[in-house]
Amino acid sequence: MANRLAGERSPYLLQHAANPVDWYPWGPEALARARAEQKPIFLSIGYSTCHWCHVMERESFEHAGIAAALNAHFVSIKVDREERPDIDRVYMLFVQATTGQGGWPMTVFLTPDLEPFYGGTYFPPTARHGRPGLLDVLEEISRTWREERERVTTSAATLADRLRQATRPEAPADGGVHVAPPQALDEGLAEYVKAYDARWGGFGTAPKFPRPSELLFLLRHHALSGNTEGLDMALETLRAMSTGGLRDHVGGGIHRYSVDAFWRVPHFEKMLYDQAQMVLALLEAGQVSGDPFHASVAEDTLAYVARELTGAEGGFLSAEDADSVPADEAGRPHARPSEGAFYLWSLEELAEAVGDALAPLAAARFGVTAEGNAADPLGELRGRNVLYVARDIEDLARDFGRPVDEIIRDLRTVRVRLHEARRQRPRPSLDDKVLTAWNGLAIAAFARAARQLRGRSAQAETWLRAAERAAQFVRDTLWDANRGVLLRRWRAGEAAIDGYAEDYACLAWGLLELFEATGDAAWLEWTRDLHAQLDDRFWDEVGGGWFSTTGDDPTVLLRMKEDYDGAEPAASAVAVMNLLRLVHLMPDAAALARIERTLARGGMAIGRAARAVPYLLAGLTTYHAGMRQVVIVGDPADPATLALHDVVAQRYLPFAVVVPVTPGHAQARLAHLLPFLETLTLRDQRPTAYVCEGFACQAPTTDPDTLARQLGGAV
């Protein structure tokens, strides 16, 4: 029998709709019941592609005894953290503060006033591996609530008050705005040098996560300083991730993280935000290094998103699961879902898929052995193989005694055959909700690829169309123009949940990239409007920076401000970077003040916190570097216009904003937004480039070589 979650749109909540637990979604009905019956709330937070969320559901939420205890003594609430990051952040702060760690599934016990008093992450049904069993925890909390309720509620109120104090905005002690000097950037680099794994790439020890915001800071530090340490670390890390098991070498795309230090065995879910940010980092790495490898991986990743994570309406979908059902020899599903089943191979399966003639080459290339290469602490992957680049092309050519071009040709055949064989397997489940913030990141990635690869990739126009289509979908379905409000989520025809700061900031990022790729004034106008709403709804006038929420929902205990650049960059860091571009298109003293106040929140020692705030440091780098405007006036289809754009695309110019201008009506419309464009015209009726700084331009040029000299920078 289905519970209340059957009427929800969230794929995560729907996964629990058949549980015997009497689940509620977060909302007035559940909260009113808790208050009326004076029962504690059992709050379970997760997301649909979370492996341990699936484990806890199978073990505990389908367990009759646990369901009976929950139904008798608690009001049980399920929350999708991707739909409601506001709720997730509040209770994650509590769990981290009281246990020293966090993660999902997250389990928190609340008073009817929503104040937390006990929490953790994954609980097995009975005690094991040093973790308390959920059944025992429920019994003890139920007893404590009956017998010591006053002590519990008093303690919870005290803890909640401490959390409020910790998150209360504070003005600078001296009332001033002090932005850290460029030396702080060198201190930030030093933090990464200390943490760098020189053997395997990446930072720190296992598990290792692909945090592209770190790489974007290191690349920008190099662009400003000329120091190659950060550049080398970024390039080596990207290559290690791209050749390791973190990348899907059959279907493209990047997995969530590596469980080991050498990027071999991943946690297999694929998140849209990882794909988007990795593409941006790879594209920048390709520009600064001149190595086509990075752009090829970026395009392979975009092809995966276009094929598997794009909805029929044009929006980008959220994720694919880590778990899937293993298949038998006939391709029929059997057994329960397991981690990585869709992606793993035995040596026999590999040989059957590619054929006996190509099997030795495929096994050598991807490190496949009879014993299996997928070591994991729990032994769940024993005898299986994760594909990774074990041998490079030149080594294979030498060892197999064949020309390089033949090896490349055969490896392409291997990939096609593996892809076809894998298509017969049951796919991981798809989280098909459309999230505004994640779509903004993906729009940015597709638009950047279109601009950077135009004329050099047959897919560039495909990437541009994908970005435009997604942006239009978001505008049509998730933008309430009457209220000036973005909505957070669309799924199955329903748009819902007023957006958070990251939705406005990340979508604005995507639209800025789309404007730089097309010169379409409509995208720039919408970017301006989104940032106006971001400021009106989320700006902290006391402490600077942008709150994550509007503060209008009384059921959200704290109004928090996210500073940590984790799997996704913090909204304030994204907003700073957006505004740094916008103020160099549309001068705005108030916007510049918001930039400086947000950067100043990090203090003079912000560099020492580089591992926590890398994208904010990327913004600080841009602030100190200053920004140029590169305006190219010309018919976008004219080869001479394309030649000028190609000069820009080949250079790593993180401190420049590109303005494509089509003469005529489009230029007139754009000049209403950017008056400095009125006088920037064709010279001798030929496409013309203007390199400007502070809205003062160098001599216009129609010659690509002259433009290259004006821009400088490595090709």
Side-chain angles (χ1 to χ4, degrees):
M1 181 177 175
N3 56 45
R4 291 172 186 82
L5 301 185
E8 294 299 304
R9 287 291 198 275
S10 159
Y12 175 62
L13 268 56
L14 290 170
Q15 287 171 356
H16 294 77
N19 293 165
V21 177
D22 187 17
W23 289 115
Y24 287 80
W26 183 277
E29 184 182 4
L31 305 185
R33 182 186 167 196
R35 288 192 297 269
E37 299 182 11
Q38 283 300 293
K39 285 184 175 179
I41 292 169
F42 175 82
L43 177 63
S44 178
I45 302 177
Y47 57 101
S48 74
T49 58
C50 163
H51 171 70
W52 286 102
C53 299
H54 300 326
V55 172
M56 193 165 176
E57 184 204 5
R58 289 194 299 266
E59 291 180 340
S60 295
F61 301 141
E62 295 178 358
H63 186 292
I66 289 174
L70 285 169
N71 295 344
H73 304 298
F74 300 88
V75 175
S76 301
I77 299 178
K78 263 286 172 194
V79 168
D80 183 337
R81 67 171 296 264
E82 295 168 352
E83 289 194 348
R84 295 299 305 263
D86 53 342
I87 298 169
D88 177 63
R89 285 175 183 136
V90 168
Y91 297 110
M92 181 61 74
L93 180 66
F94 165 78
V95 169
Q96 289 175 329
T98 54
T99 70
Q101 60 184 359
W104 300 276
M106 180 164 56
T107 306
V108 193
F109 294 85
L110 319 178
T111 70
D113 294 326
L114 308 180
E115 294 174 336
F117 60 89
Y118 182 77
T121 53
Y122 163 76
F123 288 92
T126 55
R128 64 170 183 256
H129 305 311
R131 292 179 178 269
L134 182 59
L135 196 55
D136 294 338
V137 170
L138 294 175
E139 290 175 356
E140 177 60 19
I141 287 180
S142 178
R143 182 203 65 77
T144 304
W145 185 256
R146 286 194 312 272
E147 300 174 6
E148 305 175 55
R149 183 177 307 180
E150 184 175 354
R151 180 180 67 81
V152 171
T153 56
T154 299
S155 174
T158 299
L159 280 168
D161 188 59
R162 288 176 183 168
L163 294 176
R164 290 188 187 95
Q165 293 293 333
T167 56
R168 182 167 292 149
E170 294 183 0
D174 63 359
V177 177
H178 309 292
V179 177
Q183 291 89 328
L185 303 171
D186 296 332
E187 293 174 358
L189 175 65
E191 293 299 313
Y192 282 98
V193 170
K194 285 192 292 186
Y196 184 60
D197 181 344
R199 182 177 183 186
W200 301 113
F203 304 95
T205 57
K208 285 182 175 175
F209 291 81
R211 289 179 66 200
S213 55
E214 296 183 313
L215 309 178
L216 295 176
F217 162 61
L218 294 174
L219 293 173
R220 278 159 180 73
H221 182 277
H222 164 71
L224 177 62
S225 69
N227 186 322
T228 61
E229 279 186 295
L231 171 65
D232 292 341
M233 290 189 292
L235 295 180
E236 287 301 317
T237 297
L238 281 168
R239 184 168 287 275
M241 290 191 289
S242 298
T243 57
L246 186 76
R247 178 182 167 209
D248 177 0
H249 293 277
V250 173
I254 307 296
H255 297 296
R256 179 72 277 270
Y257 65 87
S258 173
V259 302
D260 53 47
F262 36 97
W263 306 105
R264 178 75 53 79
V265 178
H267 204 37
F268 286 92
E269 67 259 42
K270 292 178 178 177
M271 312 302 294
L272 178 62
Y273 56 74
D274 282 326
Q275 316 310 313
Q277 293 177 89
M278 280 291 288
V279 165
L280 290 164
L282 286 159
L283 289 170
E284 294 195 13
Q287 283 181 315
V288 73
S289 69
D291 187 343
F293 168 79
H294 300 293
S296 71
V297 177
E299 289 206 273
D300 191 50
T301 306
L302 292 175
Y304 159 73
V305 174
R307 186 180 64 250
E308 307 293 353
L309 291 183
T310 302
E313 301 84 0
F316 297 118
L317 311 179
S318 293
E320 284 196 297
D321 208 332
D323 293 12
S324 58
V325 179
D328 61 19
E329 293 180 358
R332 295 184 298 264
H334 72 97
R336 69 182 191 185
S338 62
E339 167 89 7
F342 183 70
Y343 300 100
L344 296 164
W345 301 82
S346 68
L347 183 60
E348 293 77 13
E349 289 168 339
L350 184 85
E352 182 179 350
V354 304
D356 291 341
L358 292 177
L361 176 65
R365 172 66 166 174
F366 294 120
V368 176
T369 68
E371 299 78 19
N373 65 21
D376 73 290
L378 300 179
E380 294 179 352
L381 310 182
R382 188 176 294 111
R384 309 295 286 165
N385 290 273
V386 176
L387 304 190
Y388 71 101
V389 178
R391 308 278 295 282
D392 65 29
I393 301 293
E394 290 73 18
D395 284 346
L396 292 170
R398 183 183 63 250
D399 292 350
F400 282 83
R402 298 173 58 203
V404 165
D405 58 346
E406 287 187 10
I407 296 292
I408 293 172
R409 180 199 65 202
D410 283 355
L411 288 176
R412 286 180 181 146
T413 301
V414 163
R415 190 181 193 197
V416 169
R417 291 180 181 177
L418 288 173
H419 191 266
E420 183 59 33
R422 204 173 71 176
R423 283 181 57 197
Q424 310 310 311
R425 298 176 174 181
R427 282 198 73 87
S429 64
L430 174 68
D431 187 324
D432 60 353
K433 67 180 179 288
V434 175
L435 295 175
T436 298
W438 298 7
N439 268 251
L441 295 173
I443 291 165
F446 276 90
R448 178 82 68 83
R451 176 165 64 89
Q452 184 173 320
L453 302 176
R454 185 181 288 130
R456 285 177 290 129
S457 166
Q459 296 300 311
E461 290 305 311
T462 299
W463 308 146
L464 181 59
R465 286 193 298 273
E468 290 176 320
R469 191 164 173 246
Q472 192 61 52
F473 174 79
V474 172
R475 181 152 204 160
D476 291 343
T477 60
L478 288 156
W479 171 240
D480 185 338
N482 293 327
R483 292 197 298 148
V485 171
L486 271 176
L487 298 176
R488 169 72 172 176
R489 182 267 294 152
W490 180 94
R491 183 176 184 272
E494 181 194 79
I497 309 168
D498 283 1
Y500 306 102
E502 63 251 45
D503 295 303
Y504 290 81
C506 290
L507 180 58
W509 182 1
L511 297 177
L512 272 172
E513 294 288 350
L514 199 46
F515 168 70
E516 289 195 58
T518 64
D520 188 337
W523 303 127
L524 186 60
E525 287 174 337
W526 194 17
T527 303
R528 177 199 60 192
D529 295 345
L530 287 174
H531 259 277
Q533 294 294 339
L534 179 67
D535 295 338
D536 288 345
R537 297 173 185 277
F538 302 96
W539 175 251
D540 176 7
E541 193 56 51
V542 174
W546 288 265
F547 288 109
S548 298
T549 65
T550 61
D552 294 337
D553 186 346
T555 71
V556 180
L557 203 61
L558 306 172
R559 192 181 188 196
M560 296 178 63
K561 197 184 298 172
E562 184 68 65
D563 292 318
Y564 179 68
D565 295 314
E568 307 161 57
S572 286
V574 175
V576 162
M577 194 69 87
N578 291 344
L579 287 180
L580 282 165
R581 293 158 82 177
L582 284 171
V583 298
H584 287 87
L585 293 173
M586 298 177 278
D588 183 338
L592 181 59
R594 285 191 288 274
I595 291 168
E596 292 176 341
R597 289 190 64 193
T598 305
L599 292 173
R601 290 186 68 242
M604 292 293 105
I606 187 174
R608 297 175 200 165
R611 297 296 314 282
V613 292
Y615 202 62
L616 191 63
L617 278 182
L620 181 63
T621 310
T622 304
Y623 173 83
H624 285 302
M627 293 281 285
R628 291 187 289 180
Q629 305 93 17
V630 180
V631 181
I632 298 178
V633 184
D635 182 338
D638 188 326
T641 306
L642 295 173
L644 295 172
H645 278 293
D646 192 53
V647 171
V648 177
Q650 290 187 60
R651 281 163 174 73
Y652 184 51
L653 302 170
F655 313 127
V657 57
V658 177
V659 184
V661 177
T662 302
H665 173 74
Q667 181 167 4
R669 182 182 176 190
L670 194 52
H672 282 296
L673 290 170
L674 311 176
F676 77 98
L677 296 179
E678 288 184 23
T679 60
L680 305 187
T681 60
L682 298 173
R683 288 294 189 260
D684 301 323
Q685 296 304 305
R686 297 168 61 193
T688 305
Y690 297 80
V691 178
C692 313
E693 192 162 355
F695 303 100
C697 301
Q698 298 182 43
T701 182
T702 61
D703 175 45
D705 291 337
T706 302
L707 175 60
R709 288 193 294 272
Q710 290 180 345
L711 291 172
V715 179

